[in-house]
Amino acid sequence: MELRQLRYFVMLAEELHFGRAAQRHHIGQSALSQQLRLLERELGVRLLDRNTHRVQLTRGGEIFLVEARKILSQVDRATELVRNGTERPSLRVGILDASYDSAPLILHEVQERHPELKIRQVRTGLSQQYQWLLDGRLDVGFGRAFLAPPEIASKLFRLDRMGVLTATHHPFAELESVPVSSLAGQPVMLADQEQAPELHHLVMELCRSADVVPELYHGSCDSIQGAVFLVAMGRCVLCIPASGTPALPQVCWRPLSSPGALYPWSVLWRQGNESSYVREVVTCAQELSREHGWLQDISAEPPQMPPGSATVPLPQLASLDPPSRGRQRSRRRTTPQQDIVAIFRTMSIVPRISPVT
């Protein structure tokens, strides 16, 4: 078995098209087909089903793809170390957006403790983080963990209040908090559906819970920094967690209320990864969480529901989880803090419940 055969196979698995894969590797299609047949013959397993209409991975091909990527990733890292003439360790970290402050704070602390460590940050969506953690292209990720595959381990370290980023001259800037119902008629920019589908879905569910149909802004940006200019100009408002708020005088952030919502941040890593640097990331996340109180505000009461409004059961509020995972809660919430933590592992909503008088 040759490394080039593994690279050819991975390229084919990504393209699912012999012509495009051959073009990327600058070889002929017949040579590519021959190398694939040699690889399948050596393994004794058919890796791809192909006919004149389509190419798709077999079950054996799906399993082999994960392992082939790990092998190639390790070879590439070994090559880099040799070429650099050093054995300096490295840590590959997936982040959703550089504007969120949690990951930079944690990684800065890790770097302070391990100056020999080379940390490489890769900006990528959450679903891609899951895949790259599994196939070895990432060591650590940051984001929501509940929908992660079972092979992904996680540690919750922050519950991040959802809110609205708006221009300082916008009427929302005069409010202490923005009721979700106030988004009606406002041009709302949502998180990019490919980069952060869970944030996109959360905002839509929040609006649905308040019977609001937002006026979606006809445009998108693949980063918070790119959206800030449009917000500052008053072209739209942006729904993001508090930790992504830029420190700029032209914009301000206000929490969403009625209902409120939290985005749960977790450290993500592959089950079985015993790297001491991965453990250090988890340790630093936990220590900073305690220092900054990132998990201490979950029992604080959110903004009051408007007078006369009906109390909405938790499962009907905005959630990133399938409806079947939710369980009905009573109007009075008397759950102890440790149980609340368990709730927020599966739901991202903090309802404000008016006391019965």
Side-chain angles (χ1 to χ4, degrees), residues 163-175 178 228 231-232 237-238 240 245-255:
V164 178
L165 188 69
T166 182
T168 51
H169 59 267
H170 193 283
F172 284 173
E174 304 298 322
L175 304 177
V178 177
V228 167
V231 172
V237 297
L238 177 67
I240 58 170
T245 306
L248 296 174
Q250 298 89 348
V251 296
C252 61
W253 181 91
R254 296 292 181 264

Side-chain angles (χ1 to χ4, degrees), residues 78-356:
T79 302
E80 181 182 357
L81 289 174
V82 171
R83 286 176 177 173
N84 291 339
T86 177
E87 293 188 3
R88 184 181 178 187
S90 64
L91 187 74
R92 299 158 301 172
V93 182
I95 60 171
L96 293 180
D97 194 292
S99 297
Y100 295 119
D101 62 16
S102 300
L105 288 171
I106 294 168
L107 296 177
H108 175 75
E109 184 64 26
V110 173
Q111 191 73 81
E112 286 289 307
R113 299 182 186 188
H114 300 278
E116 80 285 356
L117 180 64
K118 178 182 178 181
I119 299 177
R120 180 190 173 203
Q121 297 184 45
V122 180
R123 184 172 173 270
T124 183
L126 194 55
S127 59
Q128 192 72 71
Q129 284 192 42
Y130 295 157
Q131 182 60 50
W132 286 1
L133 286 168
L134 290 175
D135 63 30
R137 281 184 279 181
L138 286 178
D139 302 304
V140 174
F142 288 94
R144 190 171 187 271
F146 185 71
L147 298 179
E151 297 86 0
I152 300 296
S154 65
K155 186 64 179 181
L156 179 70
F157 67 87
R158 184 171 189 170
L159 294 172
D160 203 359
R161 189 72 182 272
M162 287 293 297
V164 178
L165 188 69
T166 182
T168 51
H169 59 267
H170 193 283
F172 284 173
E174 304 298 322
L175 304 177
E176 290 187 3
S177 65
V178 177
V180 174
S181 59
S182 299
L183 296 178
Q186 294 290 330
V188 178
M189 177 182 286
L190 300 181
D192 184 82
Q193 199 159 9
E194 292 187 4
Q195 184 73 12
E198 72 285 354
L199 281 175
H200 184 104
H201 179 67
L202 174 56
V203 175
M204 293 303 295
E205 286 299 312
L206 277 170
C207 292
R208 189 176 294 115
S209 72
D211 294 324
V212 171
V213 179
E215 179 185 332
L216 299 184
Y217 179 74
H218 295 295
S220 64
C221 292
D222 63 358
S223 69
I224 293 175
Q225 288 184 348
V228 167
F229 175 76
L230 294 173
V231 172
M233 294 290 291
R235 302 286 297 276
C236 61
V237 297
L238 177 67
C239 294
I240 58 170
S243 66
T245 306
L248 296 174
Q250 298 89 348
V251 296
C252 61
W253 181 91
R254 296 292 181 264
L256 283 169
S257 60
S258 304
L262 299 170
Y263 183 85
W265 290 97
S266 292
V267 182
L268 312 169
W269 69 96
R270 187 177 67 254
Q271 290 275 12
N273 187 342
E274 301 297 330
S275 166
S276 60
Y277 296 115
V278 171
R279 291 197 300 269
E280 191 68 75
V281 172
V282 177
T283 298
C284 289
Q286 292 177 290
E287 291 178 359
L288 286 172
S289 179
R290 288 191 293 268
E291 178 182 339
H292 294 284
W294 286 341
L295 292 175
Q296 291 179 3
D297 295 333
I298 58 174
S299 60
E301 289 199 357
Q304 198 73 15
M305 293 287 285
S309 63
T311 301
V312 183
L314 273 173
Q316 296 181 23
L317 292 175
S319 170
L320 297 178
D321 306 326
S324 61
R325 308 296 283 260
R327 289 185 293 178
Q328 205 94 19
R329 299 281 174 182
S330 62
R331 288 189 60 178
R332 284 189 175 272
R333 179 159 54 88
T334 57
T335 310
Q337 182 167 342
Q338 60 267 31
D339 291 334
I340 296 175
V341 173
I343 292 172
F344 283 111
R345 287 182 185 277
T346 58
M347 304 199 69
S348 300
I349 304 308
V350 181
R352 186 63 66 189
I353 301 177
S354 303
V356 177

